[in-house]
Tab-separated table of all heavy atoms in Angstrom:
chain	number	residue	atom	x	y	z
P	1	VAL	N	0.807	-1.220	0.000
P	1	VAL	CA	0.000	0.000	0.000
P	1	VAL	C	0.841	1.272	0.000
P	1	VAL	O	0.337	2.350	-0.288
P	1	VAL	CB	-0.979	0.025	1.194
P	1	VAL	CG1	-2.046	-1.033	1.042
P	1	VAL	CG2	-0.244	-0.174	2.515
P	2	LYS	N	2.115	1.159	0.382
P	2	LYS	CA	3.046	2.300	0.390
P	2	LYS	C	2.453	3.520	1.069
P	2	LYS	O	2.542	4.643	0.572
P	2	LYS	CB	3.494	2.633	-1.037
P	2	LYS	CG	4.266	1.498	-1.720
P	2	LYS	CD	4.740	1.907	-3.094
P	2	LYS	CE	5.568	0.805	-3.735
P	2	LYS	NZ	4.752	-0.357	-4.143
P	3	ARG	N	1.879	3.328	2.239
P	3	ARG	CA	1.344	4.451	2.989
P	3	ARG	C	2.457	5.152	3.758
P	3	ARG	O	3.491	4.561	4.056
P	3	ARG	CB	0.276	3.966	3.977
P	3	ARG	CG	-0.935	3.297	3.327
P	3	ARG	CD	-1.725	4.279	2.483
P	3	ARG	NE	-3.029	3.732	2.137
P	3	ARG	CZ	-3.360	3.239	0.950
P	3	ARG	NH1	-2.468	3.231	-0.019
P	3	ARG	NH2	-4.578	2.770	0.722
P	4	GLY	N	2.228	6.414	4.099
P	4	GLY	CA	3.199	7.165	4.873
P	4	GLY	C	2.659	8.554	5.135
P	4	GLY	O	2.584	9.365	4.214
P	5	ASP	N	2.261	8.818	6.352
P	5	ASP	CA	1.688	10.114	6.685
P	5	ASP	C	1.952	10.402	8.152
P	5	ASP	O	2.483	9.559	8.878
P	5	ASP	CB	0.186	10.127	6.389
P	5	ASP	CG	-0.319	11.497	5.956
P	5	ASP	OD1	0.288	12.506	6.388
P	5	ASP	OD2	-1.303	11.562	5.196
P	6	ILE	N	1.558	11.585	8.598
P	6	ILE	CA	1.865	12.003	9.958
P	6	ILE	C	0.654	11.867	10.866
P	6	ILE	O	-0.495	11.852	10.418
P	6	ILE	CB	2.365	13.464	9.992
P	6	ILE	CG1	1.304	14.410	9.404
P	6	ILE	CG2	3.676	13.586	9.247
P	6	ILE	CD1	1.662	15.872	9.545
P	7	GLY	N	0.926	11.735	12.145
P	7	GLY	CA	-0.102	11.815	13.168
P	7	GLY	C	-1.218	10.811	13.008
P	7	GLY	O	-1.001	9.642	12.639
P	8	SER	N	-2.430	11.265	13.273
P	8	SER	CA	-3.588	10.369	13.282
P	8	SER	C	-3.874	9.797	11.908
P	8	SER	O	-4.426	8.698	11.788
P	8	SER	CB	-4.823	11.112	13.803
P	8	SER	OG	-5.121	12.235	12.995
P	9	THR	N	-3.489	10.512	10.842
P	9	THR	CA	-3.718	9.992	9.494
P	9	THR	C	-2.908	8.718	9.270
P	9	THR	O	-3.433	7.702	8.811
P	9	THR	CB	-3.331	11.048	8.442
P	9	THR	OG1	-3.968	12.278	8.752
P	9	THR	CG2	-3.752	10.599	7.057
P	10	GLY	N	-1.624	8.782	9.596
P	10	GLY	CA	-0.787	7.594	9.470
P	10	GLY	C	-1.255	6.475	10.371
P	10	GLY	O	-1.253	5.299	9.985
P	11	ASP	N	-1.682	6.826	11.585
P	11	ASP	CA	-2.157	5.808	12.521
P	11	ASP	C	-3.382	5.088	11.975
P	11	ASP	O	-3.529	3.867	12.117
P	11	ASP	CB	-2.490	6.436	13.875
P	11	ASP	CG	-1.252	6.982	14.588
P	11	ASP	OD1	-0.129	6.667	14.150
P	11	ASP	OD2	-1.432	7.714	15.572
P	12	ASP	N	-4.293	5.842	11.346
P	12	ASP	CA	-5.502	5.216	10.825
P	12	ASP	C	-5.224	4.348	9.602
P	12	ASP	O	-5.886	3.328	9.395
P	12	ASP	CB	-6.550	6.280	10.499
P	12	ASP	CG	-7.371	6.674	11.723
P	12	ASP	OD1	-7.028	6.215	12.830
P	12	ASP	OD2	-8.342	7.442	11.581
P	13	TYR	N	-4.243	4.737	8.782
P	13	TYR	CA	-3.841	3.834	7.709
P	13	TYR	C	-3.391	2.492	8.299
P	13	TYR	O	-3.751	1.416	7.802
P	13	TYR	CB	-2.677	4.431	6.911
P	13	TYR	CG	-3.055	5.450	5.868
P	13	TYR	CD1	-2.335	6.643	5.750
P	13	TYR	CD2	-4.104	5.231	4.984
P	13	TYR	CE1	-2.654	7.590	4.782
P	13	TYR	CE2	-4.433	6.162	4.018
P	13	TYR	CZ	-3.709	7.347	3.916
P	13	TYR	OH	-4.020	8.277	2.959
P	14	ALA	N	-2.611	2.563	9.354
P	14	ALA	CA	-2.124	1.341	9.984
P	14	ALA	C	-3.274	0.524	10.562
P	14	ALA	O	-3.301	-0.710	10.435
P	14	ALA	CB	-1.112	1.689	11.076
P	15	GLU	N	-4.228	1.196	11.209
P	15	GLU	CA	-5.368	0.465	11.767
P	15	GLU	C	-6.156	-0.246	10.679
P	15	GLU	O	-6.670	-1.344	10.888
P	15	GLU	CB	-6.269	1.420	12.547
P	15	GLU	CG	-5.674	1.842	13.879
P	15	GLU	CD	-6.653	2.615	14.740
P	15	GLU	OE1	-7.872	2.515	14.483
P	15	GLU	OE2	-6.198	3.304	15.663
P	16	ALA	N	-6.260	0.360	9.515
P	16	ALA	CA	-6.999	-0.265	8.420
P	16	ALA	C	-6.309	-1.527	7.921
P	16	ALA	O	-6.964	-2.534	7.646
P	16	ALA	CB	-7.158	0.728	7.268
P	17	TRP	N	-4.971	-1.486	7.845
P	17	TRP	CA	-4.273	-2.566	7.146
P	17	TRP	C	-3.643	-3.620	8.043
P	17	TRP	O	-3.501	-4.772	7.615
P	17	TRP	CB	-3.200	-1.960	6.227
P	17	TRP	CG	-3.835	-1.258	5.074
P	17	TRP	CD1	-4.000	0.088	4.909
P	17	TRP	CD2	-4.444	-1.866	3.930
P	17	TRP	NE1	-4.671	0.349	3.744
P	17	TRP	CE2	-4.954	-0.830	3.122
P	17	TRP	CE3	-4.608	-3.188	3.522
P	17	TRP	CZ2	-5.620	-1.067	1.927
P	17	TRP	CZ3	-5.267	-3.436	2.323
P	17	TRP	CH2	-5.761	-2.389	1.542
P	18	ILE	N	-3.253	-3.269	9.282
P	18	ILE	CA	-2.521	-4.262	10.071
P	18	ILE	C	-3.059	-4.451	11.486
P	18	ILE	O	-2.483	-5.229	12.244
P	18	ILE	CB	-1.008	-3.933	10.121
P	18	ILE	CG1	-0.753	-2.497	10.603
P	18	ILE	CG2	-0.364	-4.205	8.773
P	18	ILE	CD1	0.720	-2.150	10.750
P	19	ASP	N	-4.120	-3.760	11.860
P	19	ASP	CA	-4.753	-4.042	13.147
P	19	ASP	C	-5.477	-5.380	13.044
P	19	ASP	O	-6.145	-5.659	12.042
P	19	ASP	CB	-5.731	-2.924	13.503
P	19	ASP	CG	-6.226	-3.029	14.944
P	19	ASP	OD1	-7.001	-3.977	15.211
P	19	ASP	OD2	-5.863	-2.192	15.771
P	20	ARG	N	-5.345	-6.225	14.068
P	20	ARG	CA	-5.983	-7.548	13.996
P	20	ARG	C	-7.502	-7.463	13.899
P	20	ARG	O	-8.161	-8.413	13.463
P	20	ARG	CB	-5.565	-8.415	15.185
P	20	ARG	CG	-6.023	-7.943	16.539
P	20	ARG	CD	-5.753	-9.026	17.602
P	20	ARG	NE	-4.349	-9.355	17.706
P	20	ARG	CZ	-3.510	-8.788	18.568
P	20	ARG	NH1	-3.933	-7.831	19.375
P	20	ARG	NH2	-2.252	-9.154	18.617
P	21	ASP	N	-8.086	-6.320	14.292
P	21	ASP	CA	-9.524	-6.128	14.164
P	21	ASP	C	-9.872	-5.173	13.026
P	21	ASP	O	-11.031	-4.762	12.889
P	21	ASP	CB	-10.096	-5.575	15.476
P	21	ASP	CG	-9.920	-6.540	16.633
P	21	ASP	OD1	-10.136	-7.747	16.426
P	21	ASP	OD2	-9.548	-6.092	17.745
P	22	GLY	N	-8.901	-4.809	12.207
P	22	GLY	CA	-9.133	-3.883	11.113
P	22	GLY	C	-9.825	-4.537	9.938
P	22	GLY	O	-9.969	-5.766	9.868
P	23	PRO	N	-10.258	-3.741	8.967
P	23	PRO	CA	-11.025	-4.289	7.851
P	23	PRO	C	-10.221	-5.177	6.914
P	23	PRO	O	-10.794	-6.049	6.250
P	23	PRO	CB	-11.539	-3.038	7.128
P	23	PRO	CG	-10.607	-1.948	7.530
P	23	PRO	CD	-10.173	-2.268	8.919
P	24	PHE	N	-8.908	-4.979	6.818
P	24	PHE	CA	-8.119	-5.765	5.871
P	24	PHE	C	-7.246	-6.812	6.555
P	24	PHE	O	-7.047	-7.891	6.036
P	24	PHE	CB	-7.264	-4.830	5.008
P	24	PHE	CG	-8.094	-3.890	4.186
P	24	PHE	CD1	-8.119	-2.539	4.463
P	24	PHE	CD2	-8.889	-4.371	3.154
P	24	PHE	CE1	-8.896	-1.670	3.717
P	24	PHE	CE2	-9.680	-3.515	2.405
P	24	PHE	CZ	-9.690	-2.158	2.686
P	25	ARG	N	-6.651	-6.485	7.710
P	25	ARG	CA	-5.944	-7.458	8.538
P	25	ARG	C	-4.826	-8.176	7.793
P	25	ARG	O	-4.717	-9.397	7.820
P	25	ARG	CB	-6.910	-8.484	9.118
P	25	ARG	CG	-7.885	-7.897	10.110
P	25	ARG	CD	-8.624	-8.977	10.886
P	25	ARG	NE	-9.452	-9.806	10.041
P	25	ARG	CZ	-9.497	-11.134	10.104
P	25	ARG	NH1	-8.739	-11.794	10.963
P	25	ARG	NH2	-10.286	-11.822	9.315
């Protein structure tokens, strides 16, 4: 996905893609 951003924006990208409860996991 090549994401990279600051603060809460970057954190939410991470939650979407690698949080065990996220939509993509």
